């Protein structure tokens, strides 16, 4: 009706013909209505052009043969590869050895390469890779990273079964599996170890299964020669490897019902009689027999949408105060010592406390609620005489007060009201928040201790630059980090606190907030042991301790050090200063060291980290040759080496071609839809279609305006 009216000539208006006048008026009204609707539709269409253009632009960097999981209508399709995982963990004393098995099952009718970016514990030492194809095991070897890539690429092009494992960050890795046959399964075993965390009388082991999408600051850059891109992010000036650390993030319903599940079995031999084994993340089935425990999730296989956290506590009164472990490896001795400082309490410090809270988009959902609760809990710890401020950041950083204010009623009430209204959106420009918090004029007396509490999920890709900013700009302040969410970036949280000479904690659920923060804020009152002096027995041979210079110790946190080159004999002396300047020391008989395995790998990983830290402090490049030598000699992965496994014979027929599929990770539990990262559309078709509609709408509007001139 409307179109037919618009197509007819405008009616003549004649005196003495009321019906014609009435009809012409109706047509005029309809014409004006159509003009308005057309103009509004054109404006609305223009609003959609930019996101569609942004959606199409990243595909300029599309690689030949890469399979983007979009159907003909540019809708998400389930991956053709089904991912299955199994964690088999053996805990002995302070070390946990894990065999992580990934199974890639190809449900398509074409040969595929599987690409999976996944997290491991931030303190993991990866020391083995084995690929299994039809019951044939191929043991991987460690090579310099460039050489390993070339080995893998040659095997992939030649149609051979191959697998490789690369470290992108200390807690983020990429696994590639080449030439998976249609309908078949290829398994990849990754072997790694980690030190068990021990704090406040409780042991803890964390097994990451997914990750929060990271924010990539900086300007986009292009690199047409890059061949190994498989992520949603493009490289930027601040995160040049953004595409390597940005796996697609999807809902549970976006993958096969049997995919992205993990079986978990832990066998714990703590050496101490256990009283209980618990988890804040999953319900557990636990069998305890003295100092041993067998643990598995109650539900069987678990969804890979959150960290798996297991904690165990010895019987009260049997908590360790010191322990020594010994290993001989290839004719060399390795010793590891753990010493827990006394639970001394010093004078209460007067503090200037700056709370920095992350309100970026990755904190949406449960995370921002936990972060608000954590900050409110922190405000409650302030005492008369303290000063404080609150800074929130996303794409920009904002301070509540121009400078720190006294912890008094009206200031605290204003801060609580401000915190309760915080919402999550925008980017994670953490550098700006650090700059603001470190540059603000202090309104506090010089006698006050300056501390910062950083509440965040750590979902950033430029960690190294942030660590340097903390190291160079923190001055006399101390930085403490609070991890938020079901899959936080523990590498950032731990290292930021280390460079800030502070401590860290992680909150997995809202129920943990009080317990976790009580411990952190108690530790913030003062280190319990400073000026630490560690003296291993002099046996006429060099000692290479890791870490070389241990920092201050906080309440409930043990000192741990590994040395190479000393047999299990003599006395280890550890001394330091307690609060108030009192001296403290303890002595350990190394002849009573318990046998252990993996100490050589723990030492090598620590030594590699020390070399990287030393280079960062000197503003120079790391000693790559030394790192590669340590990595290959001890068979532990490093930033400059990778594992690669290749089956000698050809598997894929020469007549067949192979595609690639980037296996996604699951949206972390409690996350919001805004955190989803699907593959972008690979063509400009939708963009051109929208532009055509916009043009049509504008043309129609112009025609209507021209017609009005004759009315």
């Amino acid at each position: 009706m409307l179109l037919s009216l618009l197509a007819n000539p405008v009616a003549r208006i004649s005196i003495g013909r009321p019906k014609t006048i009435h009809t012409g008026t109706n047509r005029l009204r309809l014409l004006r209505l159509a003009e308005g609707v057309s103009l509004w539709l054109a404006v609305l269409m223009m609003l959609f052009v930019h996101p569609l253009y942004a959606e199409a632009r990243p595909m300029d960097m599309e690689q030949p043969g890469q399979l983007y999981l979009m159907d003909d209508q540019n809708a998400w399709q389930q991956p053709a590869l089904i991912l299955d995982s199994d964690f088999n963990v053996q805990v002995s004393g302070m070390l946990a050895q894990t065999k992580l098995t990934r199974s890639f099952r190809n449900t398509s009718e074409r040969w595929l390469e599987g690409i999976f970016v996944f997290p491991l514990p931030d303190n993991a030492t990866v020391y083995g890779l084995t690929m299994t194809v039809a019951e044939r095991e191929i043991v991987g070897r460690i090579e310099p990273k460039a050489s390993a890539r070339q080995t893998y690429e040659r095997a992939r092009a030649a149609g051979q079964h191959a697998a490789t494992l690369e470290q992108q960050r200390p807690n983020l890795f990429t696994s590639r599996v080449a030439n998976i046959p249609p309908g078949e399964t290829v398994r990849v075993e990754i072997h790694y170890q980690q030190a068990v965390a021990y704090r406040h009388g409780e042991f803890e082991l964390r097994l990451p299964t997914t990750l929060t999408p990271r924010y990539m600051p900086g300007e986009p850059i292009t690199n047409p020669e890059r061949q190994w891109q498989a992520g949603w992010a493009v490289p930027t000036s601040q995160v040049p490897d953004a595409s390597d650390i940005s796996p697609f993030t999807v809902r549970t319903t976006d993958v096969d019902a049997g995919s992205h599940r993990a079986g978990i079995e832990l066998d714990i031999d703590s050496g101490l009689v256990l009283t209980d084994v618990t988890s804040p993340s999953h319900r557990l089935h636990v069998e305890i027999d003295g100092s041993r425990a067998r643990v598995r999730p109650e539900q069987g296989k678990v969804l890979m949408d959150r960290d798996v956290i297991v904690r165990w506590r010895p019987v009260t009164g049997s908590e360790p105060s010191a322990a020594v472990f010994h290993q001989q490896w290839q004719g060399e001795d390795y010793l590891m010592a753990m010493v827990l400082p006394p639970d001394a309490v010093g004078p209460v410090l007067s503090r200037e406390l700056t709370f920095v809270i992350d309100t970026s988009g990755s904190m949406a959902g449960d995370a921002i609620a936990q972060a608000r609760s954590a900050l409110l809990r922190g405000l409650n710890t302030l005492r008369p005489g303290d000063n404080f401020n609150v800074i929130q950041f996303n794409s920009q950083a904002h301070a509540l007060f121009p400078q720190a204010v006294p912890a008094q009623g009206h200031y605290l009430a204003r801060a609580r009201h401000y915190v309760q209204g915080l919402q999550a959106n925008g980017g994670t420009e953490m550098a700006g928040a650090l700059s603001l918090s470190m540059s603000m004029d202090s309104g506090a007396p010089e006698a006050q201790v300056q501390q910062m509490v950083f509440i965040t999920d750590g979902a950033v890709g430029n960690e190294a630059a942030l660590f340097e900013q903390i190291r160079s700009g923190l001055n006399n302040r101390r930085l403490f980090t609070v991890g938020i969410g079901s899959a936080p970036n523990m590498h950032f949280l731990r290292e930021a606190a280390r460079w800030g000479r502070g401590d860290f904690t992680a909150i997995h659920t809202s129920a943990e907030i009080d317990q976790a923060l009580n411990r952190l804020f108690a530790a913030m009152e003062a280190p319990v042991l400073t000026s630490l002096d560690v003296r291993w027995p002099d046996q006429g041979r060099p000692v290479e301790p890791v870490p070389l210079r241990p920092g201050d110790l906080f309440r409930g946190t043990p000192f741990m050090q590994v040395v190479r080159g000393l047999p299990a004999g003599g006395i280890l002396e550890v001394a330091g200063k307690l609060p108030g300047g009192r001296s403290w020391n303890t002595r350990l008989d190394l002849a009573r060291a318990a046998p252990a395995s993996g100490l050589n790998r723990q030492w090598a990983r620590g030594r590699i980290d020390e070399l990287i830290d030393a280079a960062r402090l000197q503003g120079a490049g790391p000693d790559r040759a030394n790192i590669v030598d340590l990595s290959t000699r001890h068979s532990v992965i490093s930033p400059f080496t990778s594992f690669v496994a290749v089956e000698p014979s050809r598997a894929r027929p020469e007549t067949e071609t192979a595609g690639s599929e980037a296996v996604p990770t699951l949206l972390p539990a409690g996350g919001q839809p805004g955190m989803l990262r699907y593959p972008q559309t690979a063509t400009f078709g939708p963009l051109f279609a929208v532009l055509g509609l916009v043009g049509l709408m504008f043309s129609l509007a112009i025609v209507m305006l021209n017609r009005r001139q004759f009315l």
Side-chain angles (χ1 to χ4, degrees):
M1 172 67 109
L2 178 61
L3 291 177
S4 62
L5 286 172
L6 292 175
N8 291 333
V10 179
R12 294 185 179 88
I13 302 176
S14 301
I15 298 175
R17 298 177 64 183
K19 184 177 181 180
T20 305
I21 293 174
H22 180 72
T23 303
T25 302
N26 288 341
R27 287 184 176 180
L28 183 59
R29 288 175 178 172
L30 288 172
L31 184 62
R32 289 177 176 174
L33 176 63
E35 289 176 14
V37 170
S38 299
L39 288 170
W40 275 110
L41 285 174
V43 171
L44 290 173
M45 287 293 183
M46 286 299 294
L47 293 176
F48 285 102
V49 169
H50 177 71
L52 283 174
Y53 176 64
E55 184 182 27
R57 278 190 66 187
M59 303 320 296
D60 292 343
M61 303 188 69
E62 179 183 356
Q63 298 301 320
Q66 184 147 2
L67 174 64
Y68 289 92
L69 304 178
M70 312 295 286
D71 62 18
D72 293 338
Q73 286 74 44
N74 293 297
W76 167 258
Q77 289 183 321
Q78 285 190 350
L81 289 176
I82 292 179
L83 177 72
D84 194 55
S85 299
D86 284 288
F87 292 81
N88 188 289
V89 187
Q90 305 290 324
V91 178
S92 178
M94 297 301 298
L95 288 180
Q97 311 277 349
T98 300
K99 180 178 75 173
L100 170 56
T101 304
R102 304 279 197 202
S103 298
F104 297 86
R105 179 160 61 90
N106 183 1
T107 63
S108 75
E109 297 180 355
R110 63 184 304 195
W111 291 73
L112 284 178
E113 174 194 33
I115 307 167
F116 188 46
V117 179
F118 60 94
L120 286 180
D122 64 290
N123 60 346
T125 300
V126 180
Y127 62 89
L129 174 73
T130 302
M131 177 177 63
T132 303
V133 184
E135 308 307 320
R136 301 188 303 275
E137 286 192 354
I138 300 93
V139 178
R141 62 183 182 275
I142 198 163
E143 296 181 2
K145 182 173 283 189
S147 173
R149 283 191 174 188
Q150 292 172 1
T151 300
Y152 175 82
E153 286 295 330
R154 284 195 301 267
R156 183 173 70 88
Q160 299 165 274
H161 291 303
T164 187
L165 181 67
E166 281 191 358
Q167 176 182 314
Q168 312 298 346
R169 296 290 188 275
N171 65 336
L172 197 60
F173 295 77
T174 298
S175 179
R176 289 175 174 261
V177 184
N179 296 309
I180 305 173
E184 299 295 330
T185 299
V186 174
R187 294 193 302 275
V188 175
E189 290 180 5
I190 299 167
H191 297 263
Y192 70 88
Q193 71 180 42
Q194 65 190 109
V196 175
Y198 179 74
R199 291 178 171 222
H200 306 282
E202 188 173 63
F203 296 90
E204 179 180 287
L205 191 71
R206 182 181 288 259
L207 303 174
T209 66
T210 191
L211 64 149
T212 301
R214 302 188 179 195
Y215 178 71
M216 313 296 177
E219 295 298 319
I221 57 176
T222 58
N223 183 0
E225 297 180 356
R226 190 176 183 85
Q227 298 180 355
W228 282 48
Q229 178 170 321
W232 57 263
V234 297
T236 73
S237 55
Q238 295 187 42
V239 192
D241 63 345
S243 59
D244 295 329
I245 62 172
S246 55
F248 303 129
T249 304
V250 302
R251 295 183 178 91
T252 304
T253 53
D254 292 325
V255 298
D256 186 272
S259 188
H260 290 70
R261 268 66 177 174
I264 298 171
E265 288 190 3
L266 277 81
D267 286 308
I268 301 172
D269 182 5
S270 68
L272 301 166
V273 178
L274 299 176
T275 180
D276 64 356
V277 179
T278 61
S279 171
S281 62
H282 297 79
R283 295 177 64 89
L284 300 177
H285 176 79
V286 180
E287 300 172 8
I288 298 178
D289 182 11
S291 64
R292 296 176 178 269
R294 189 172 181 83
V295 184
R296 64 179 184 274
E298 201 173 78
Q299 68 190 80
K301 293 214 166 191
V302 301
L303 200 61
M304 294 170 57
D305 66 344
R306 70 193 73 195
D307 290 359
V308 178
I309 303 171
V310 180
R311 296 169 179 162
W312 57 98
R313 183 180 290 274
V315 171
T316 302
S318 66
E319 298 91 344
S321 59
V324 185
F325 303 90
H326 174 248
Q327 176 198 16
Q328 272 201 335
W329 181 79
Q330 294 189 356
E332 288 186 308
D333 289 281
Y334 293 83
L335 288 166
M336 181 172 75
M338 183 199 82
V339 177
L340 192 68
D343 194 14
V345 178
V348 175
L349 301 175
S350 175
R351 299 175 296 167
E352 178 188 282
L353 200 53
T354 303
F355 298 96
V356 184
I357 182 171
D358 183 348
T359 59
S360 64
S362 67
M363 295 283 289
D366 293 347
I368 190 63
Q370 293 173 15
R372 287 194 299 259
S373 297
L375 205 159
L376 291 170
R377 178 70 184 82
L379 291 173
N380 291 338
T381 68
L382 293 169
R383 299 185 178 92
D386 290 345
N387 285 47
F388 79 101
N389 204 347
V390 178
I391 294 174
Q392 65 103 356
F393 74 94
N394 41 52
S395 298
Q396 293 181 325
H398 303 277
L400 175 58
F401 303 109
Q403 63 180 21
V405 296
Q408 297 174 354
H410 63 288
Y411 288 122
L412 288 171
R414 183 176 170 186
R416 291 187 181 102
H417 179 74
Y418 176 76
V419 171
Q420 289 167 349
L422 293 175
Q423 300 296 324
N425 57 72
T428 314
E429 289 291 347
M430 200 174 287
L434 285 169
S435 296
L436 177 61
S437 59
M438 293 188 295
S439 64
M440 293 188 69
D441 291 334
S442 174
E446 291 185 5
Q448 283 192 332
V449 175
Q450 292 182 309
Q451 297 177 333
M452 290 170 52
V453 177
F454 220 88
I455 305 171
T456 178
D457 58 10
V460 290
N462 60 329
E463 295 101 323
L466 295 171
F467 298 152
E468 174 58 26
Q469 187 179 4
I470 292 168
R471 184 195 68 80
S472 60
L474 205 58
N475 297 324
N476 292 326
R477 299 178 183 88
R478 297 216 175 207
L479 175 65
F480 299 80
T481 56
V482 178
I484 297 293
S486 57
N489 181 357
M490 293 300 296
H491 168 61
F492 173 80
L493 298 169
R494 189 187 304 269
E495 287 297 288
R498 183 172 71 89
W499 286 104
R501 306 185 313 281
D503 203 358
F504 72 97
T505 191
I507 298 169
H508 190 81
T509 65
S510 298
E512 289 194 295
I513 289 176
D514 283 347
Q515 181 182 22
L517 293 181
N518 284 343
R519 292 172 176 176
L520 179 68
F521 289 121
M524 289 174 61
E525 291 180 353
V528 297
L529 200 60
T530 59
S531 304
L532 207 59
D533 182 23
V534 183
R535 297 180 182 178
W536 294 87
D538 183 4
Q539 298 185 7
R541 60 188 73 190
V543 175
E544 299 178 86
V546 172
L548 181 61
R549 286 179 293 274
D552 298 342
L553 295 183
F554 293 90
R555 188 178 303 168
T557 304
F559 152 75
M560 293 182 67
Q561 194 175 61
V562 186
V563 297
R564 181 181 72 168
L566 280 182
I571 301 296
L572 168 66
E573 296 184 21
V574 182
K577 295 292 184 182
L578 294 171
R582 293 173 294 141
S583 297
W584 175 88
N585 65 80
T586 189
R587 294 161 58 88
L588 294 178
D589 184 357
L590 300 181
R592 302 180 64 180
S597 62
L599 299 187
N600 67 300
R601 293 189 288 262
Q602 201 71 13
W603 178 86
R605 162 68 193 266
R607 183 65 182 137
I608 289 171
D609 290 344
E610 295 259 346
L611 290 171
I612 294 173
D613 283 352
R616 184 177 292 154
L617 291 170
Q618 296 168 6
D623 186 349
R624 187 182 294 247
N626 198 355
I627 291 173
V628 170
D629 178 64
L630 282 166
S631 174
T632 53
R633 185 150 44 95
H634 292 269
S635 192
V636 297
I637 206 167
S638 77
F640 308 119
T641 53
S642 303
F643 278 100
V644 62
V646 176
E647 188 174 41
S649 58
R650 183 183 185 97
R652 174 170 51 85
E654 294 186 12
T655 55
E656 297 283 348
T657 58
S660 293
E661 179 172 301
V663 180
T665 59
L666 295 186
L667 179 71
Q672 295 296 294
M675 295 165 60
L676 294 169
R677 298 291 187 272
Y678 290 104
Q680 308 291 330
T681 178
T683 71
F684 287 92
L687 174 64
F688 292 151
V690 171
L691 288 175
L693 286 173
V694 171
L696 179 62
M697 290 297 178
F698 273 118
S699 299
L700 184 59
I702 291 171
V703 169
M704 292 177 181
L705 290 173
N706 286 336
R707 286 179 181 273
R708 286 187 61 184
Q709 294 177 1
F710 298 101
L711 296 180

